Amino acid sequence: MSYQRKFCEAVAEALKADEVLNAAGNVTVSIEDEVSAADEVERQLGKRGVLALIATTGHARKTGTGESTAGDIGLEVTVFENPKLNRATNKEAFTLTQAAEAIAEALHWKKLAGFTNRIRYISMQRADADEEDARMIVTFAVLQALDEAEAVKWGIGEKTI
């Protein structure tokens, strides 16, 4: 299994365990590699609640790392909501924006078990398709060598790179 897939699984576990998202009661978390993303989004847009779809966006090697493949892995959590359905019967329902903000808070500067470096929140942007398909893309990055066994490490404790 690839590092990026393992990372997505760890992110999904962290989001599923988050107190704020759990308290909302209407947030579904999925990993893009595990589902048909189009089918999952279509299903979500036909019901109440919000969907957080996790995917990595690639890896960019940092310059000056010599033989190491160390660099940033990009992570996107795209949140989907059909506002007409989600808010139709419950004006207090957890919305797209609330979910995106909670996800940014839940993941920023978090160090996941089994991974060396902390996740850095980058941005969130709306990407609505139409009035029944609201979307917010929340982006993150984490410094990681694709093969940790080959990574060059230096520093002490939390400062280890």
Side-chain angles (χ1 to χ4, degrees), residues 25-67:
N26 70 335
V27 179
T28 302
V29 176
S30 293
I31 299 170
E32 184 183 44
D33 278 358
E34 291 181 339
V35 298
S36 163
D39 290 347
E40 189 80 357
V41 170
E42 187 176 328
R43 254 191 312 279
Q44 182 61 44
L45 294 176
K47 65 180 187 176
R48 291 181 186 93
V50 294
L51 167 66
L53 190 60
I54 301 164
T56 55
T57 59
H59 182 268
R61 186 178 160 275
K62 294 244 185 241
T63 58
T65 58
E67 291 181 34

Side-chain angles (χ1 to χ4, degrees), residues 48 81-91 93:
R48 291 181 186 93
E81 176 195 28
N82 180 334
K84 288 183 175 183
L85 287 178
N86 189 41
R87 304 173 202 180
T89 58
N90 181 2
K91 300 295 182 203

Side-chain angles (χ1 to χ4, degrees), residues 11-132:
V11 168
E13 286 179 30
L15 293 179
K16 288 175 182 177
D18 183 72
E19 291 179 17
V20 173
L21 295 172
N22 276 322
N26 70 335
V27 179
T28 302
V29 176
S30 293
I31 299 170
E32 184 183 44
D33 278 358
E34 291 181 339
V35 298
S36 163
D39 290 347
E40 189 80 357
V41 170
E42 187 176 328
R43 254 191 312 279
Q44 182 61 44
L45 294 176
K47 65 180 187 176
R48 291 181 186 93
V50 294
L51 167 66
L53 190 60
I54 301 164
T56 55
T57 59
H59 182 268
R61 186 178 160 275
K62 294 244 185 241
T63 58
T65 58
E67 291 181 34
S68 174
T69 58
D72 279 337
I73 288 184
L75 173 73
E76 279 187 1
V77 180
T78 305
V79 183
F80 299 87
E81 176 195 28
N82 180 334
K84 288 183 175 183
L85 287 178
N86 189 41
R87 304 173 202 180
T89 58
N90 181 2
K91 300 295 182 203
E92 301 302 315
F94 213 58
T95 66
L96 170 84
T97 304
Q98 288 172 301
E101 290 174 355
I103 289 165
E105 285 293 324
L107 294 178
H108 179 66
W109 215 243
K110 185 162 185 90
K111 191 181 225 183
L112 302 175
F115 298 92
T116 307
N117 296 301
R118 296 183 185 278
I119 299 170
R120 301 180 324 271
Y121 162 72
I122 305 295
S123 68
M124 70 176 71
Q125 287 188 316
R126 289 295 291 254
D128 296 354
D130 59 46
E131 65 185 19
E132 294 180 359

